[in-house]
């Protein structure tokens, strides 16, 4: 027998894509489509041999409240529909429809909200009655079904065929696809912030390249680990069964999904396929995925799955009577927050990742490949990627114990009702503020804040500080939240914000470089706090933060918890590129942040310090050290709540001492604790933005109403200046972020509720809370029109927000509803 011939490798390629599953093939296809045909895809074994070969192939556009995810799904469906004509390779796409079943009130509310949003995004979904469900899928038991949500144009696809078609399409355009060639190592050059990809080592030699895209699915973490790239995805068992033939079952019926029964259902080879998402899953191979696991199966754990299976089968009772032809278990990888891991790794330049697909790799794969290819070739992903960016993830999340624990929760979440006030419950307590024990004693109810324990609200004596039963209505802690909100507006509160990302930037060029990075002027005077955005060359947002000039060569940069690694990497890379004398120290853990806010905050702090806090001596945006007790704190007069207020940055070891002094002195000033619920409701009344929630990388700084924070003509300019100038020159904006206030006090807004003007959908609520001062739910929505948007146009329209099945009248405003003239913060 002759030995297999060694593959001949090119010595160089512009991009090397690692992994030939649906994601790698889609990335290679789209790179080639964009003209980057000097692309090589390396597959360790055969195309599809990882997870892709055994996917169930649901092709569903319904179900997400993320605009990006919904757009990826829509694009994917359209792509799969045209691939056969383009490549000659069939994809097995069958668009027989899809029905999501709601069999209890909470799911009904959830899907009504989701379907309103999906319709806004162009998904043609309709609520149908149980009888109509029965007509479309006559074998379904509809006894307890409340409604179905039907998308006629959705359906299923053959995952292997679609991947082959993508590979064929890529090859046709000139990309090379090499099977049986594992990447052994990604090679880099340079050190620290300059480290960048230079090639890939294989058993057959090296390929030099500028960019790699790690699409190795459940192997991605291990491959990344060699270079310290954090990709904390984890494989877990994932099941379906296929019954013997059921003559009554038609292959033309829609796919149905019933999360309440843990299952999805479709015809397969004359039998019924029942796919499962169990509430408590089993992670697989925590220590590492074997390198030779190809077209592999996992021995099913019948005992563990039996109760879920029983329930799933009850939805289509005939399945209980026929035999099981195949009970299949295969691994799929899941991430800590059920979002994929995508983008350029902060650790290594030119190292892109697209992995951790959380069981929707087929139905989003087409769109994700396009997004990644655009990101690689232009630097612009073309969509909001704040929720999926690899840099949201932290090193500790790769810890085996963390992955084992968190994966159980994240897979389990897939089929749970997605309640608004839910927080992750596993792997908790591993990041705590220095004040944690004191906040526990103060009866804080905590939530997960990028892994930190963040005080969400405080329970009065006699009430358990627990989130309680989740639902869509007012939560049980409403009165305590409201009281905290009112204390912010009328008295004085203490908030522990130690989870905020804090960086000390030092060096001879620190001021000049931070000023170039910032759209606002941040390098004018010592002791000044400046709110600013960092932009990219397109003039869209990369970060939203404060920069405080401590002295000529020392700055404090403070950003939100979610922006931690993005902000850090952006600074480090910029300083390196500019070859400046500027250095970033991450002081997040070293500095506690205690916010003292509210109209009585000055009186309280003044009673504790010898520094003059009067408005004349310590105006808004001042930063200065003050003494509190035996400690020294950096005090910033700034607010995210819309009141007179201060932020104290205290060395961690003195945080408890400062807290105790504040509490002692606070007793006579009516000081109370306030949590993140009050922060959200106060900031939303004031229209303060939150990057990654209501503003993102697709927005121009002008569209989001932050032009006031842009020093357009400052000497030295800034990154994105030309783009902002050009946008301004184009005249009035037809896309603007506005505040939305419901005219009725009862309905609640959370996220993704469509906003209509005279019946026409113009945008959706990006983030919302309840305005306890304003007396109604309040949010921020990006509104688009075919004409300039100004207040007169807003006032002339009849505005409504779709809240579930209802349309609720609303008012829209370019200025915040609460204290638009900022009189309160001047205090
Ligand atoms: C039971 C089941 C049902 C599913 N049903 C659906 C569904 O209905 N709809 C849906 O959208 N999704 C579904 N999924 C999820 C879907 O299958 C995955 O999200 C998707 O296949 C992931 O694709 P991928 O390309 O990221 O990973 P993979 O398909 O695993 O591809 C990664 C590839 O990388 C290769 N590789 C690994 N290491 C190296 C290396 N060092 N060098 C080179 N190559 C390497 C592997 O051999 C593999 O081929 C299902 C999953 C399971 C398990």
């Amino acid at each position: 027998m002759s030995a297999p011939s060694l593959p001949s490798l090119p010595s160089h390629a512009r991009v090397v894509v690692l992994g030939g599953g649906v994601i790698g093939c889609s990335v290679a296809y789209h790179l080639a489509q964009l003209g980057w045909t000097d692309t090589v895809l390396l597959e360790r074994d055969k195309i599809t041999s990882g997870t892709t070969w055994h996917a169930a192939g649901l092709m569903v556009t319904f179900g997400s409240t993320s605009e990006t995810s919904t757009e990826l799904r829509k694009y994917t469906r359209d792509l799969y529909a045209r691939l056969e004509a383009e490549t000659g390779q069939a994809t097995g796409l069958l668009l027989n429809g899809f029905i999501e079943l709601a069999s209890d009130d909470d799911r009904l509310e959830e899907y009504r909200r989701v379907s309103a949003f999906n319709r806004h995004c162009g998904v043609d979904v309709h609520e149908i009655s149980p009888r109509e469900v029965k007509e479309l899928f006559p074998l379904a038991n509809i006894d307890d079904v409340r409604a179905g949500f039907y998308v006629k144009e959705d359906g299923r696809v053959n995952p292997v065929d679609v991947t082959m078609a993508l590979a064929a399409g890529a090859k046709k355009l000139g990309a090379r696809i090499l099977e049986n060639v594992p990447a052994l190592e990604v090679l880099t050059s340079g050190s620290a912030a300059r480290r960048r990809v230079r090639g890939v080592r294989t058993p057959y030699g090296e390929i030099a390249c500028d960019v790699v895209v790690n699409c190795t699915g459940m192997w991605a973490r291990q491959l990344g680990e060699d270079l310290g790239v954090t990709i904390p995805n984890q494989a877990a068992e994932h099941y379906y069964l296929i019954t013997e033939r059921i003559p009554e079952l038609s292959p033309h019926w829609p796919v149905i999904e019933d999360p309440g029964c843990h299952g999805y259902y479709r015809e397969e080879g004359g039998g019924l396929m029942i796919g499962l998402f169990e509430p408590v899953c089993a992670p697989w191979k925590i220590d590492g995925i074997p390198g030779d696991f190809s077209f592999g199966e996992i021995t099913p754990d019948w005992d563990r799955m039996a109760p879920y299976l029983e329930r799933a089968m009850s939805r289509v009772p005939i399945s209980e009577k026929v035999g099981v032809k195949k009970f299949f278990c295969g691994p799929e990888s899941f991430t800590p927050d059920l979002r994929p891991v995508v983008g350029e790794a902060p650790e290594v330049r030119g190292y892109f990742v697209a992995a951790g697909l959380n069981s929707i790799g087929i139905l989003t794969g087409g769109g994700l490949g396009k997004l990644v290819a655009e990101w690689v070739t232009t630097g612009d992903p073309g969509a909001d990627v704040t929720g999926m960016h690899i840099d949201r993830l932290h090193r500790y999340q790769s810890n085996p114990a963390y992955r084992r624990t968190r994966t159980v929760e994240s897979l389990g979440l897939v089929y749970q009702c997605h309640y608004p006030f839910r927080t992750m419950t596993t792997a908790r307590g591993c990041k705590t503020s220095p004040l944690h024990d004191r906040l526990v004693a103060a009866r804080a109810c905590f939530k997960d804040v990028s892994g930190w324990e963040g005080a969400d609200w405080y329970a009065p004596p006699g009430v358990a500080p627990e989130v309680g039963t989740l639902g869509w209505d007012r939560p049980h802690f409403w009165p305590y939240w409201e009281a905290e909100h009112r204390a912010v507006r009328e008295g004085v509160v203490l908030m522990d914000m130690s989870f905020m990302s804090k960086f000390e930037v030092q060096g001879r060029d620190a001021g000049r470089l931070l000023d170039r990075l910032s759209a606002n002027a941040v390098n004018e005077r010592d002791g000044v706090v400046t709110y600013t955005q960092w932009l990219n060359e397109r003039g869209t947002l990369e970060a939203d933060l404060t920069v405080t000039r401590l002295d000529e060569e020392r700055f404090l940069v403070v950003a939100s918890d979610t922006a931690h690694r993005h902000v850090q990497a952006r600074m480090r890379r910029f300083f390196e590129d500019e070859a400046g004398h500027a250095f970033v120290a991450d002081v997040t853990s070293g500095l506690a942040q205690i916010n003292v806010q509210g109209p009585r905050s000055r009186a309280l702090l003044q009673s504790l310090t010898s520094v003059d806090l009067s408005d004349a001596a310590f105006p808004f945006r001042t930063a200065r050290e003050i003494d509190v007790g035996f400690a020294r704190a950096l005090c910033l007069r700034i607010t995210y709540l819309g009141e007179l207020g201060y932020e104290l940055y205290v060395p961690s070891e003195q945080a408890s001492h400062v807290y105790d002094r504040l509490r002692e002195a606070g007793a006579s000033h009516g000081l109370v604790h306030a949590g993140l619920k009050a922060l959200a409701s106060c900031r939303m009344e004031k229209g303060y933005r939150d990057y990654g929630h209501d503003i993102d990388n697709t927005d121009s700084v002008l569209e989001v109403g932050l032009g006031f924070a842009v020093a357009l003509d400052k000497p030295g300019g800034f990154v994105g200046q030309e783009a902002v100038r050009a946008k301004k020159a184009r005249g009035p904006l037809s896309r603007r972020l506005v505040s939305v206030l419901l005219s009725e006090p009862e309905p609640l807004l959370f996220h993704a509720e469509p906003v209509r003007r005279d019946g026409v959908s113009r945008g959706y609520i990006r983030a919302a809370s309840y305005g306890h001062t304003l007396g109604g739910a309040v949010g921020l929505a990006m509104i688009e029109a075919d004409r300039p948007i100004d207040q007169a146009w807003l006032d002339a329209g009849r505005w409504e927000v779709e809240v579930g099945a209802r349309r609720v009248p609303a008012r829209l405003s370019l200025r915040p509803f609460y204290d638009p003239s900022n009189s309160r913060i001047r205090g």
Side-chain angles (χ1 to χ4, degrees), residues 55 70 128 132 185 193 334 365 368 378 439 486 511 535 548 718 810 822:
T70 307
I128 59 174
E132 289 169 298
E185 188 186 357
F334 291 83
L368 191 65
T378 68
L439 303 188
R486 294 203 185 284
L535 311 179
T548 300
F718 59 92
N822 286 335

Side-chain angles (χ1 to χ4, degrees), residues 19-24 42-44 49-52 54-58 181-183 215-217 219 238 240 264 330-332 357 359-363:
V22 67
I23 302 301
L42 301 183
E43 165 53 46
R44 171 195 64 114
S49 62
T51 295
T52 296
H54 58 235
L58 268 53
V181 183
C215 305
T216 59
W219 288 269
H238 197 30
Y240 56 71
Y264 59 83
E332 161 66 338
L357 269 298
S359 78
I360 54 169
I362 309 300
L363 65 89

Side-chain angles (χ1 to χ4, degrees), residues 82-100:
R82 62 172 193 264
L83 263 187
E84 182 170 352
E86 192 184 309
T87 64
Q89 161 74 50
T91 59
L93 187 68
L94 268 180
L95 299 180
N96 289 335
F98 168 79
I99 309 171
E100 186 85 59

Side-chain angles (χ1 to χ4, degrees), residues 604-794:
L604 165 58
L605 271 188
Q606 193 65 83
S607 73
L608 281 167
T609 185
S610 56
V611 173
D612 181 0
L613 296 180
S614 67
D615 194 49
F618 207 111
F620 182 58
R621 291 182 54 205
T622 295
R624 192 171 303 161
E625 272 195 353
I626 66 168
D627 38 78
V628 180
F630 300 118
R632 282 240 144 189
L634 176 67
C635 177
L636 271 52
R637 184 175 157 196
I638 196 84
T639 181
Y640 190 54
L641 303 167
E643 302 294 338
L644 171 69
Y646 304 84
E647 297 179 351
L648 301 179
Y649 294 83
V650 188
S652 288
E653 66 277 17
Q654 292 192 308
S656 304
H657 172 67
V658 169
Y659 171 91
D660 291 345
R661 288 298 169 107
L662 285 166
R663 292 279 320 263
E664 276 159 37
S668 58
H669 294 269
L671 177 72
V672 296
H673 289 90
L676 294 166
K677 280 283 172 293
L679 178 96
S681 53
C682 289
R683 75 105 181 163
M684 203 44 100
E685 286 187 329
K686 189 75 176 85
Y688 286 150
R689 278 61 170 150
D690 188 0
Y691 190 74
H693 291 95
D694 35 67
I695 56 176
D696 63 60
N697 60 285
T698 64
D699 299 325
S700 109
V701 67
L702 300 178
E703 291 166 342
V704 298
L706 295 174
F708 72 88
V710 177
L712 197 51
D713 298 316
K714 70 178 175 180
F718 59 92
V719 177
Q721 184 182 33
E722 287 317 311
V724 179
R725 278 216 173 108
K727 181 107 189 159
K728 210 165 182 171
R730 283 197 291 276
L733 302 164
S734 55
R735 182 178 189 267
R736 296 186 80 169
L737 193 74
V738 303
S739 286
V740 180
L741 176 63
L742 292 189
S743 305
E744 296 175 10
E746 286 305 322
L748 302 183
L749 296 175
F750 304 113
H751 159 71
E753 296 86 353
V755 179
R756 293 175 175 268
R757 184 185 191 271
D758 299 334
V760 179
S761 198
R762 293 289 182 184
Y764 65 93
I765 300 285
R766 285 185 168 181
S769 183
Y770 192 84
H772 293 285
T773 310
L774 298 172
V778 60
L780 285 163
M782 183 62 86
I783 297 297
E784 295 187 44
D786 43 15
R787 52 149 285 150
I789 294 174
D790 53 25
Q791 192 60 45
W793 183 77
L794 294 178

